[in-house]
Amino acid sequence: MIKTRIIFVTLALVGGTLGTAAVPAAATPAVSTQAATSRSTACPTGWSSLVKADPTTTATTAPVRDVRTGHHTCYDRMVVHLPGAGGSGIGYTVQYVDRLYQDGSGRHLPVAGGAVLEVRVAAPPYDPETGRPTYPARAGQPLPGVDLTGYRTFRDARFAAGFEGDTQIGLGVRARLPFRVLQLPDRLVIDVAHSWTGAR
């Protein structure tokens, strides 16, 4: 009777130990798979540095309200917010230029960086009915509230002009790198890659 009880207790302890050891062992492959997937994820390729434009989309009367930036694993991003523009698309032209010249005056506006992207959005930075500014930016000055400290690609972001219903921005980048433009409801997105190779 005593021997039987000792055998049962011993088996119970051994079974409990094996059950506990099995939990981390089962979890290990999942962690390793996630780490491997994260390491193997490549940045998008196939972007170019050629001009991107949508001349077929008509200008919107919904004014620019804000411009924000963010840095991601593979690219730096600028977002122009136009609440009320809807899903019909926002006209734009984004292209590299040798120098940025202000619409209307033709004045040269210096923009820091190895290359300059001119971002032109077919929407005013003011209320078309009253003429009052909806985006508090000044010509030749950095974009309000935009801090590019720590960005890999962006170097400078300056307001150029609001002229004849368009908003013009100069985006200084590290070098002439590939970029893409996305039209989303109520906003225009410009992503500039960190490299040509798709490396992070």
PDB file of all heavy atoms in Angstrom, residues 9 25 27 29-30 49 57 65 67 69-70 77-78 93 118 122 133-134 139 145-146 154 160 163 168 173 186 190 196:
ATOM      1  N   VAL A   9       2.618   9.024  -6.447  1.00  0.00           N
ATOM      2  CA  VAL A   9       3.141  10.370  -6.170  1.00  0.00           C
ATOM      3  C   VAL A   9       4.294  10.675  -7.110  1.00  0.00           C
ATOM      4  O   VAL A   9       4.391  11.751  -7.685  1.00  0.00           O
ATOM      5  CB  VAL A   9       3.582  10.483  -4.689  1.00  0.00           C
ATOM      6  CG1 VAL A   9       4.359  11.777  -4.466  1.00  0.00           C
ATOM      7  CG2 VAL A   9       2.365  10.436  -3.792  1.00  0.00           C
ATOM      8  N   ALA A  25       8.574  24.866 -24.643  1.00  0.00           N
ATOM      9  CA  ALA A  25       9.035  24.194 -25.853  1.00  0.00           C
ATOM     10  C   ALA A  25       8.036  24.413 -26.992  1.00  0.00           C
ATOM     11  O   ALA A  25       8.411  24.631 -28.123  1.00  0.00           O
ATOM     12  CB  ALA A  25       9.220  22.705 -25.589  1.00  0.00           C
ATOM     13  N   ALA A  27       6.014  26.985 -27.275  1.00  0.00           N
ATOM     14  CA  ALA A  27       5.966  28.395 -27.640  1.00  0.00           C
ATOM     15  C   ALA A  27       7.184  28.833 -28.440  1.00  0.00           C
ATOM     16  O   ALA A  27       7.128  29.788 -29.188  1.00  0.00           O
ATOM     17  CB  ALA A  27       5.855  29.252 -26.378  1.00  0.00           C
ATOM     18  N   PRO A  29       8.904  27.651 -31.167  1.00  0.00           N
ATOM     19  CA  PRO A  29       8.862  27.762 -32.629  1.00  0.00           C
ATOM     20  C   PRO A  29       8.094  28.988 -33.109  1.00  0.00           C
ATOM     21  O   PRO A  29       8.478  29.621 -34.068  1.00  0.00           O
ATOM     22  CB  PRO A  29       8.164  26.474 -33.073  1.00  0.00           C
ATOM     23  CG  PRO A  29       8.411  25.512 -31.962  1.00  0.00           C
ATOM     24  CD  PRO A  29       8.426  26.347 -30.724  1.00  0.00           C
ATOM     25  N   ALA A  30       6.988  29.355 -32.419  1.00  0.00           N
ATOM     26  CA  ALA A  30       6.185  30.512 -32.827  1.00  0.00           C
ATOM     27  C   ALA A  30       7.008  31.788 -32.738  1.00  0.00           C
ATOM     28  O   ALA A  30       6.980  32.633 -33.622  1.00  0.00           O
ATOM     29  CB  ALA A  30       4.939  30.618 -31.961  1.00  0.00           C
ATOM     30  N   SER A  49      11.794  57.844 -59.343  1.00  0.00           N
ATOM     31  CA  SER A  49      11.970  59.249 -58.977  1.00  0.00           C
ATOM     32  C   SER A  49      11.377  60.169 -60.045  1.00  0.00           C
ATOM     33  O   SER A  49      11.584  61.378 -60.011  1.00  0.00           O
ATOM     34  CB  SER A  49      13.459  59.566 -58.788  1.00  0.00           C
ATOM     35  OG  SER A  49      14.164  59.376 -60.004  1.00  0.00           O
ATOM     36  N   THR A  57      -7.864  64.805 -62.295  1.00  0.00           N
ATOM     37  CA  THR A  57      -8.705  65.150 -61.155  1.00  0.00           C
ATOM     38  C   THR A  57      -8.838  66.655 -61.062  1.00  0.00           C
ATOM     39  O   THR A  57      -7.851  67.376 -61.087  1.00  0.00           O
ATOM     40  CB  THR A  57      -8.091  64.599 -59.844  1.00  0.00           C
ATOM     41  OG1 THR A  57      -7.926  63.194 -59.980  1.00  0.00           O
ATOM     42  CG2 THR A  57      -8.991  64.886 -58.664  1.00  0.00           C
ATOM     43  N   ARG A  65      -5.923  71.838 -44.556  1.00  0.00           N
ATOM     44  CA  ARG A  65      -6.060  72.180 -43.133  1.00  0.00           C
ATOM     45  C   ARG A  65      -4.810  71.881 -42.327  1.00  0.00           C
ATOM     46  O   ARG A  65      -4.555  72.499 -41.297  1.00  0.00           O
ATOM     47  CB  ARG A  65      -7.235  71.399 -42.525  1.00  0.00           C
ATOM     48  CG  ARG A  65      -8.574  71.706 -43.135  1.00  0.00           C
ATOM     49  CD  ARG A  65      -9.153  72.978 -42.616  1.00  0.00           C
ATOM     50  NE  ARG A  65     -10.457  73.259 -43.203  1.00  0.00           N
ATOM     51  CZ  ARG A  65     -11.187  74.326 -42.902  1.00  0.00           C
ATOM     52  NH1 ARG A  65     -10.739  75.195 -42.031  1.00  0.00           N
ATOM     53  NH2 ARG A  65     -12.346  74.518 -43.491  1.00  0.00           N
ATOM     54  N   VAL A  67      -0.624  69.709 -42.538  1.00  0.00           N
ATOM     55  CA  VAL A  67       0.387  68.861 -43.169  1.00  0.00           C
ATOM     56  C   VAL A  67       1.166  68.207 -42.041  1.00  0.00           C
ATOM     57  O   VAL A  67       1.663  68.896 -41.143  1.00  0.00           O
ATOM     58  CB  VAL A  67       1.343  69.667 -44.077  1.00  0.00           C
ATOM     59  CG1 VAL A  67       2.385  68.732 -44.687  1.00  0.00           C
ATOM     60  CG2 VAL A  67       0.569  70.394 -45.172  1.00  0.00           C
ATOM     61  N   THR A  69       3.959  64.809 -40.884  1.00  0.00           N
ATOM     62  CA  THR A  69       4.973  63.878 -41.371  1.00  0.00           C
ATOM     63  C   THR A  69       5.158  62.747 -40.365  1.00  0.00           C
ATOM     64  O   THR A  69       4.803  62.868 -39.188  1.00  0.00           O
ATOM     65  CB  THR A  69       6.328  64.587 -41.586  1.00  0.00           C
ATOM     66  OG1 THR A  69       6.754  65.158 -40.335  1.00  0.00           O
ATOM     67  CG2 THR A  69       6.231  65.663 -42.646  1.00  0.00           C
ATOM     68  N   GLY A  70       5.714  61.647 -40.850  1.00  0.00           N
ATOM     69  CA  GLY A  70       6.013  60.507 -39.990  1.00  0.00           C
ATOM     70  C   GLY A  70       7.125  59.688 -40.617  1.00  0.00           C
ATOM     71  O   GLY A  70       7.321  59.721 -41.828  1.00  0.00           O
ATOM     72  N   ARG A  77       7.203  59.787 -44.562  1.00  0.00           N
ATOM     73  CA  ARG A  77       5.880  60.093 -45.124  1.00  0.00           C
ATOM     74  C   ARG A  77       5.447  61.518 -44.810  1.00  0.00           C
ATOM     75  O   ARG A  77       5.610  62.006 -43.684  1.00  0.00           O
ATOM     76  CB  ARG A  77       4.864  59.101 -44.584  1.00  0.00           C
ATOM     77  CG  ARG A  77       3.404  59.452 -44.847  1.00  0.00           C
ATOM     78  CD  ARG A  77       2.478  58.311 -44.487  1.00  0.00           C
ATOM     79  NE  ARG A  77       2.567  57.262 -45.511  1.00  0.00           N
ATOM     80  CZ  ARG A  77       1.792  56.168 -45.514  1.00  0.00           C
ATOM     81  NH1 ARG A  77       0.895  55.974 -44.544  1.00  0.00           N
ATOM     82  NH2 ARG A  77       1.910  55.274 -46.480  1.00  0.00           N
ATOM     83  N   MET A  78       4.855  62.157 -45.826  1.00  0.00           N
ATOM     84  CA  MET A  78       4.183  63.444 -45.644  1.00  0.00           C
ATOM     85  C   MET A  78       2.717  63.273 -46.017  1.00  0.00           C
ATOM     86  O   MET A  78       2.404  62.642 -47.030  1.00  0.00           O
ATOM     87  CB  MET A  78       4.815  64.525 -46.532  1.00  0.00           C
ATOM     88  CG  MET A  78       4.019  65.832 -46.547  1.00  0.00           C
ATOM     89  SD  MET A  78       4.736  67.086 -47.653  1.00  0.00           S
ATOM     90  CE  MET A  78       6.036  67.687 -46.591  1.00  0.00           C
ATOM     91  N   THR A  93       0.677  67.322 -58.387  1.00  0.00           N
ATOM     92  CA  THR A  93       1.894  67.084 -59.148  1.00  0.00           C
ATOM     93  C   THR A  93       3.030  67.063 -58.144  1.00  0.00           C
ATOM     94  O   THR A  93       3.176  68.007 -57.341  1.00  0.00           O
ATOM     95  CB  THR A  93       2.167  68.197 -60.190  1.00  0.00           C
ATOM     96  OG1 THR A  93       1.049  68.284 -61.076  1.00  0.00           O
ATOM     97  CG2 THR A  93       3.421  67.893 -60.989  1.00  0.00           C
ATOM     98  N   GLU A 118       9.105  69.144 -55.262  1.00  0.00           N
ATOM     99  CA  GLU A 118       8.052  70.155 -55.262  1.00  0.00           C
ATOM    100  C   GLU A 118       6.718  69.427 -55.194  1.00  0.00           C
ATOM    101  O   GLU A 118       6.414  68.585 -56.036  1.00  0.00           O
ATOM    102  CB  GLU A 118       8.115  70.998 -56.531  1.00  0.00           C
ATOM    103  CG  GLU A 118       7.024  72.062 -56.569  1.00  0.00           C
ATOM    104  CD  GLU A 118       7.024  72.835 -57.882  1.00  0.00           C
ATOM    105  OE1 GLU A 118       7.287  72.212 -58.937  1.00  0.00           O
ATOM    106  OE2 GLU A 118       6.752  74.042 -57.848  1.00  0.00           O
ATOM    107  N   ALA A 122      -3.822  70.465 -55.745  1.00  0.00           N
ATOM    108  CA  ALA A 122      -4.887  71.270 -56.363  1.00  0.00           C
ATOM    109  C   ALA A 122      -5.971  71.590 -55.339  1.00  0.00           C
ATOM    110  O   ALA A 122      -7.128  71.189 -55.458  1.00  0.00           O
ATOM    111  CB  ALA A 122      -5.478  70.529 -57.558  1.00  0.00           C
ATOM    112  N   PRO A 133      -6.975  82.252 -44.249  1.00  0.00           N
ATOM    113  CA  PRO A 133      -6.106  81.069 -44.236  1.00  0.00           C
ATOM    114  C   PRO A 133      -6.699  79.927 -43.400  1.00  0.00           C
ATOM    115  O   PRO A 133      -7.260  80.159 -42.323  1.00  0.00           O
ATOM    116  CB  PRO A 133      -4.813  81.576 -43.587  1.00  0.00           C
ATOM    117  CG  PRO A 133      -4.856  83.062 -43.755  1.00  0.00           C
ATOM    118  CD  PRO A 133      -6.314  83.439 -43.719  1.00  0.00           C
ATOM    119  N   THR A 134      -6.604  78.715 -43.942  1.00  0.00           N
ATOM    120  CA  THR A 134      -7.029  77.524 -43.193  1.00  0.00           C
ATOM    121  C   THR A 134      -5.818  76.720 -42.728  1.00  0.00           C
ATOM    122  O   THR A 134      -5.941  75.830 -41.908  1.00  0.00           O
ATOM    123  CB  THR A 134      -7.903  76.617 -44.085  1.00  0.00           C
ATOM    124  OG1 THR A 134      -7.186  76.303 -45.289  1.00  0.00           O
ATOM    125  CG2 THR A 134      -9.215  77.301 -44.437  1.00  0.00           C
ATOM    126  N   ALA A 139       5.120  81.862 -46.402  1.00  0.00           N
ATOM    127  CA  ALA A 139       5.989  81.587 -47.550  1.00  0.00           C
ATOM    128  C   ALA A 139       7.460  81.578 -47.154  1.00  0.00           C
ATOM    129  O   ALA A 139       7.939  82.494 -46.480  1.00  0.00           O
ATOM    130  CB  ALA A 139       5.749  82.626 -48.645  1.00  0.00           C
ATOM    131  N   GLY A 145       4.512  73.070 -37.061  1.00  0.00           N
ATOM    132  CA  GLY A 145       4.334  71.824 -36.311  1.00  0.00           C
ATOM    133  C   GLY A 145       5.087  70.635 -36.845  1.00  0.00           C
ATOM    134  O   GLY A 145       4.958  69.533 -36.311  1.00  0.00           O
ATOM    135  N   VAL A 146       5.889  70.803 -37.900  1.00  0.00           N
ATOM    136  CA  VAL A 146       6.633  69.684 -38.482  1.00  0.00           C
ATOM    137  C   VAL A 146       8.062  69.708 -37.958  1.00  0.00           C
ATOM    138  O   VAL A 146       8.793  70.677 -38.165  1.00  0.00           O
ATOM    139  CB  VAL A 146       6.625  69.746 -40.026  1.00  0.00           C
ATOM    140  CG1 VAL A 146       7.576  68.710 -40.606  1.00  0.00           C
ATOM    141  CG2 VAL A 146       5.217  69.531 -40.549  1.00  0.00           C
ATOM    142  N   PHE A 154      13.832  62.701 -44.946  1.00  0.00           N
ATOM    143  CA  PHE A 154      13.420  64.104 -44.972  1.00  0.00           C
ATOM    144  C   PHE A 154      14.463  64.985 -44.275  1.00  0.00           C
ATOM    145  O   PHE A 154      14.976  64.638 -43.222  1.00  0.00           O
ATOM    146  CB  PHE A 154      12.076  64.293 -44.275  1.00  0.00           C
ATOM    147  CG  PHE A 154      10.894  63.720 -45.020  1.00  0.00           C
ATOM    148  CD1 PHE A 154       9.634  63.723 -44.438  1.00  0.00           C
ATOM    149  CD2 PHE A 154      11.037  63.178 -46.287  1.00  0.00           C
ATOM    150  CE1 PHE A 154       8.539  63.201 -45.107  1.00  0.00           C
ATOM    151  CE2 PHE A 154       9.941  62.652 -46.967  1.00  0.00           C
ATOM    152  CZ  PHE A 154       8.692  62.666 -46.369  1.00  0.00           C
ATOM    153  N   ALA A 160       5.654  77.061 -49.703  1.00  0.00           N
ATOM    154  CA  ALA A 160       6.066  77.949 -50.789  1.00  0.00           C
ATOM    155  C   ALA A 160       4.987  78.983 -51.081  1.00  0.00           C
ATOM    156  O   ALA A 160       5.244  80.192 -51.037  1.00  0.00           O
ATOM    157  CB  ALA A 160       6.383  77.148 -52.042  1.00  0.00           C
ATOM    158  N   PHE A 163      -1.531  79.754 -54.357  1.00  0.00           N
ATOM    159  CA  PHE A 163      -1.696  80.630 -55.516  1.00  0.00           C
ATOM    160  C   PHE A 163      -2.673  80.014 -56.506  1.00  0.00           C
ATOM    161  O   PHE A 163      -2.512  78.863 -56.918  1.00  0.00           O
ATOM    162  CB  PHE A 163      -0.328  80.852 -56.184  1.00  0.00           C
ATOM    163  CG  PHE A 163      -0.345  81.793 -57.346  1.00  0.00           C
ATOM    164  CD1 PHE A 163      -0.525  83.154 -57.150  1.00  0.00           C
ATOM    165  CD2 PHE A 163      -0.186  81.316 -58.646  1.00  0.00           C
ATOM    166  CE1 PHE A 163      -0.541  84.036 -58.238  1.00  0.00           C
ATOM    167  CE2 PHE A 163      -0.202  82.189 -59.723  1.00  0.00           C
ATOM    168  CZ  PHE A 163      -0.383  83.552 -59.520  1.00  0.00           C
ATOM    169  N   GLN A 168       1.524  74.965 -52.690  1.00  0.00           N
ATOM    170  CA  GLN A 168       2.857  74.563 -53.128  1.00  0.00           C
ATOM    171  C   GLN A 168       3.770  74.399 -51.919  1.00  0.00           C
ATOM    172  O   GLN A 168       3.878  75.304 -51.078  1.00  0.00           O
ATOM    173  CB  GLN A 168       3.423  75.622 -54.085  1.00  0.00           C
ATOM    174  CG  GLN A 168       4.792  75.295 -54.644  1.00  0.00           C
ATOM    175  CD  GLN A 168       5.394  76.499 -55.370  1.00  0.00           C
ATOM    176  OE1 GLN A 168       5.053  77.652 -55.084  1.00  0.00           O
ATOM    177  NE2 GLN A 168       6.304  76.233 -56.295  1.00  0.00           N
ATOM    178  N   VAL A 173      14.943  66.454 -49.296  1.00  0.00           N
ATOM    179  CA  VAL A 173      15.261  65.066 -48.946  1.00  0.00           C
ATOM    180  C   VAL A 173      16.770  64.843 -49.046  1.00  0.00           C
ATOM    181  O   VAL A 173      17.500  65.645 -49.628  1.00  0.00           O
ATOM    182  CB  VAL A 173      14.497  64.067 -49.844  1.00  0.00           C
ATOM    183  CG1 VAL A 173      13.000  64.192 -49.623  1.00  0.00           C
ATOM    184  CG2 VAL A 173      14.814  64.281 -51.314  1.00  0.00           C
ATOM    185  N   ASP A 186      -9.859  62.529 -48.426  1.00  0.00           N
ATOM    186  CA  ASP A 186      -9.534  63.673 -47.580  1.00  0.00           C
ATOM    187  C   ASP A 186      -8.046  63.876 -47.321  1.00  0.00           C
ATOM    188  O   ASP A 186      -7.682  64.668 -46.450  1.00  0.00           O
ATOM    189  CB  ASP A 186     -10.269  63.587 -46.227  1.00  0.00           C
ATOM    190  CG  ASP A 186     -11.764  63.557 -46.395  1.00  0.00           C
ATOM    191  OD1 ASP A 186     -12.249  63.992 -47.453  1.00  0.00           O
ATOM    192  OD2 ASP A 186     -12.455  63.095 -45.481  1.00  0.00           O
ATOM    193  N   ILE A 190       2.536  61.351 -49.537  1.00  0.00           N
ATOM    194  CA  ILE A 190       3.788  61.256 -50.289  1.00  0.00           C
ATOM    195  C   ILE A 190       4.779  60.463 -49.445  1.00  0.00           C
ATOM    196  O   ILE A 190       5.117  60.879 -48.329  1.00  0.00           O
ATOM    197  CB  ILE A 190       4.376  62.649 -50.627  1.00  0.00           C
ATOM    198  CG1 ILE A 190       3.390  63.462 -51.472  1.00  0.00           C
ATOM    199  CG2 ILE A 190       5.714  62.516 -51.342  1.00  0.00           C
ATOM    200  CD1 ILE A 190       2.568  64.440 -50.686  1.00  0.00           C
ATOM    201  N   TRP A 196      17.360  53.069 -52.654  1.00  0.00           N
ATOM    202  CA  TRP A 196      16.943  52.553 -53.946  1.00  0.00           C
ATOM    203  C   TRP A 196      16.839  51.034 -53.949  1.00  0.00           C
ATOM    204  O   TRP A 196      16.184  50.444 -54.792  1.00  0.00           O
ATOM    205  CB  TRP A 196      17.954  52.968 -55.020  1.00  0.00           C
ATOM    206  CG  TRP A 196      17.704  54.328 -55.570  1.00  0.00           C
ATOM    207  CD1 TRP A 196      18.314  55.489 -55.175  1.00  0.00           C
ATOM    208  CD2 TRP A 196      16.773  54.699 -56.582  1.00  0.00           C
ATOM    209  NE1 TRP A 196      17.814  56.549 -55.890  1.00  0.00           N
ATOM    210  CE2 TRP A 196      16.870  56.090 -56.773  1.00  0.00           C
ATOM    211  CE3 TRP A 196      15.871  53.981 -57.363  1.00  0.00           C
ATOM    212  CZ2 TRP A 196      16.105  56.785 -57.701  1.00  0.00           C
ATOM    213  CZ3 TRP A 196      15.096  54.660 -58.294  1.00  0.00           C
ATOM    214  CH2 TRP A 196      15.219  56.048 -58.456  1.00  0.00           C
TER     215      TRP A 196
END
